[in-house]
Amino acid sequence: MATLTDDIRTSAAQFREFGACERPPRDEDPALIARIRAQVDRWGERLVILAHHYQRKEVVPFGNFIGDSYYLSKMAAQQEKAEHIVFCGVHFMAESARILCRPEQHVYLPNLRAGCPMADMADDVQVDDAWEWLGGFLDTETVIPVSYMNSAANLKAFTGANGGLICTSSNADKAFAWAFERGEKVFFFPDEHLGTNTANKMGIARDRRAIYDPLHAPDDPGPYERAQVILWKGFCHVHTNFTVAHIESARRDYPGIKIVVHPECTEDVVNAADACGSTAFIDKYVKAQPAGSIIAIGTEINLTSRLADEHPDKTIFELSGQNCPLCVNMFRTTLEDLASCLEHLGDRGHDKQIFVRPDVARDAKLALNRMLELK
Ligand code: 13P
Ligand code: SF4
């Protein structure tokens, strides 16, 4: 799995390569497209391709289902006829699909280097340490773990085994409400910003929140004893690049502009925007704006750029205007990766297949199903 440093280095290189990244390069090689189409035809209903909104523009059209991480996990759980589920997204998404689908189905991630640096900001040892430390002065029976979908399967299993649930950016408030019906405190990891934005939305007082930094474990239990929500200090390096200055400058340059951002952005950005929500929410928000609207989007560049293509009657651009909000991990999956993954479906020892240990899958599924059952 690529490290955060790898990621930042690749990001920087890509930024130099294609400047402000308004239009990430597109690979439309007809030979590759023909190879993929041949496999799609060959497998028919026995194959389902899931594509996240941040995938490259040339990959997205091959998705039988295109959406946010919540929708795609639901689709993975509902496939009756598919023998093979190919997830064009990042590792935690394919792992969740593996956990939610039937045991005899096979799940693949066409490029295994597509990870999520934010998900990697919490590992099982760190979370166990935090839980043990909290248990030194709190009754952890009253603390409900809520883990963001962007986390490894073993953390989802920790959450399931400890009476908690998973959430995505589209249902974090419902997940927090579910947790507060069952306990006094929420322990949320790994995205501090989604946690903060959710606490704001739910009106949780600032002095009832505490940040847990796994790299500088706290020694004073006081703030954690008082807290209603304990937030892991993790972040998405793509979304934390958007600033209030970007919003002010967009509003100055384009009076009447609408600004929509993802809840992995910092709270000041979310508060200054007109709307905030998951990638599916952003897609719907843009569709709902009347022709002639000007919209700046604070999320990953491939979604923004695709929305600009799909809505030529609106002026759509990426909010920062200068940085490159590219998720290099989402960008890793190329048409070549997809073609080669599909051409080997059914092979013994397919090297892009995703496996999750059965005991981990069992507990993680508890936590994922609690999310899918949220009303
Ligand atoms: P969504 O659940 O909104 O698709 O977000 C996934 C993600 O990784 C955002 O960075
Ligand atoms: Fe992870 Fe951020 Fe990429 Fe989403 S955009 S997959 S949170 S690194």
Side-chain angles (χ1 to χ4, degrees), residues 12 27 37 69 71 82 89 109 135 142 156 167 183 188 206 222 244 246 249 291 309 330 334 336:
D27 178 0
R37 287 211 181 114
S69 55
Y71 174 72
L109 182 67
T142 67
K156 292 187 172 80
C167 73
F188 180 67
R206 278 177 196 277
V244 173
H246 295 144
S249 139
D309 289 349
M330 288 285 184
T334 61
E336 174 62 49

Side-chain angles (χ1 to χ4, degrees), residues 101-271:
C101 71
R102 294 201 312 274
E104 66 276 18
Q105 295 175 311
H106 305 290
V107 176
Y108 308 84
L109 182 67
N111 186 323
L112 289 180
R113 293 182 66 236
C116 167
M118 184 227 277
D120 294 342
M121 288 178 190
D123 67 30
D124 54 340
V125 175
Q126 291 171 318
V127 170
D128 283 345
D129 284 353
W131 195 245
E132 199 183 314
W133 183 73
L134 292 171
F137 54 90
L138 295 175
D139 174 5
T140 46
E141 290 289 313
T142 67
V143 183
I144 308 294
V146 179
S147 52
Y148 192 21
M149 183 65 110
N150 301 38
S151 59
N154 54 5
L155 297 190
K156 292 187 172 80
F158 165 91
T159 299
N162 288 289
L165 83 171
I166 308 305
C167 73
T168 72
S169 57
S170 66
N171 53 29
D173 49 347
K174 285 188 195 161
F176 275 36
W178 183 97
F180 284 127
E181 281 166 18
R182 288 156 180 86
E184 290 164 17
K185 295 178 194 290
V186 163
F187 174 38
F188 180 67
F189 50 87
D191 187 14
E192 177 191 339
H193 302 293
L194 176 61
T196 297
N197 290 318
T198 307
N200 288 345
K201 201 168 163 184
M202 299 186 74
I204 294 169
R206 278 177 196 277
D207 62 356
R208 307 293 305 280
R209 310 174 193 182
I211 309 294
Y212 182 91
D213 181 351
L215 302 179
H216 302 96
D219 43 24
D220 174 12
Y224 304 86
E225 283 171 330
R226 285 189 295 278
Q228 272 183 287
V229 292
I230 299 168
L231 303 173
W232 195 267
K233 198 173 173 56
F235 63 93
C236 165
H237 67 286
V238 177
H239 288 94
T240 48
N241 265 312
F242 297 106
T243 64
V244 173
H246 295 144
I247 295 184
E248 286 167 354
S249 139
R251 292 207 194 281
R252 241 190 339 267
D253 294 347
Y254 303 93
I257 191 172
K258 293 287 185 203
I259 294 169
V260 57
V261 302
H262 193 277
E264 289 172 10
C265 293
T266 57
E267 65 174 321
D268 52 348
V269 167
V270 168
N271 294 342

